[in-house]
Amino acid sequence: MARLGSTPGFAHFVSLRHPPLRGRHQWPGEAGSTAAPEEAAAVAAGGVRTLLRLEGAVVLGVALAAYAQFGAGWGVFALWLLAPDLSLLGYLAGPRTGAALYNGAHSYVGPVLLLALGALAAMPWAVAGSLIWLAHIGMDHALGYGLKYATGFAATHLGRIGKADPW
């Protein structure tokens, strides 16, 4: 039961004094957002977000340049470039599982370890695979697709993706 003098529970979502924010992108933690307020502090914004997206573009460029020097063939590159996105199938099991699988496939940890293995063990397929994987992650981050939160696909560490909630 609400305390005397406190606003009703629905007042956080509906306000008769302020018109709805239509056409404005809403970030996690803002009114109308589906992301939890504790995630809002973990979302990159402003210059930090721009820097992280630039970092993704640099990783993409370096991975492409290294792949061009490595010479494993662009057909193989095109075939495997979108393979990490198969981790999206994890969302069929729910947002928590989907986010965990997506983040595992879109973190720099896996491809860097594969690159080290390929370089140290003289395994050309591992070097080529890691460069393709790094290019994919760099491309995603440059486009603003970040690591996911368990609240849903649209909540990422680089900000909310997709259309703003119309309500």
Side-chain angles (χ1 to χ4, degrees):
M1 180 167 221
R3 287 181 286 154
L4 196 57
S6 68
T7 57
F10 67 87
H12 296 287
F13 302 105
V14 177
S15 174
L16 299 177
R17 294 183 184 170
H18 301 289
L21 300 172
R22 296 186 194 273
R24 181 172 171 248
H25 190 75
Q26 295 175 341
W27 300 101
E30 288 188 17
S33 172
T34 58
E38 62 272 6
E39 290 173 2
V43 172
V48 173
R49 184 172 194 266
T50 302
L51 184 62
L52 288 172
R53 291 184 70 174
L54 180 62
E55 176 185 73
V58 168
V59 168
L60 172 62
V62 169
L64 286 172
Y67 193 85
Q69 291 296 315
F70 186 70
W74 292 105
V76 172
F77 185 90
L79 180 67
W80 290 102
L81 180 62
L82 298 179
D85 283 341
L86 291 174
S87 63
L88 291 171
L89 294 174
Y91 278 96
L92 295 174
R96 184 177 226 64
T97 303
L101 288 174
Y102 183 91
N103 291 344
H106 289 81
S107 167
Y108 288 122
V109 174
V112 168
L113 288 175
L114 186 62
L115 181 63
L117 173 71
L120 296 174
M123 301 166 72
W125 63 268
V127 172
S130 67
L131 292 173
I132 296 169
W133 196 358
L134 284 167
H136 175 87
I137 296 171
M139 177 181 65
D140 274 4
H141 288 190
L143 293 173
Y145 295 99
L147 300 175
K148 309 297 182 205
Y149 290 104
T151 56
F153 180 79
T156 77
H157 84 288
L158 293 175
R160 188 161 179 77
I161 58 173
K163 293 184 178 181
D165 188 2
W167 304 106

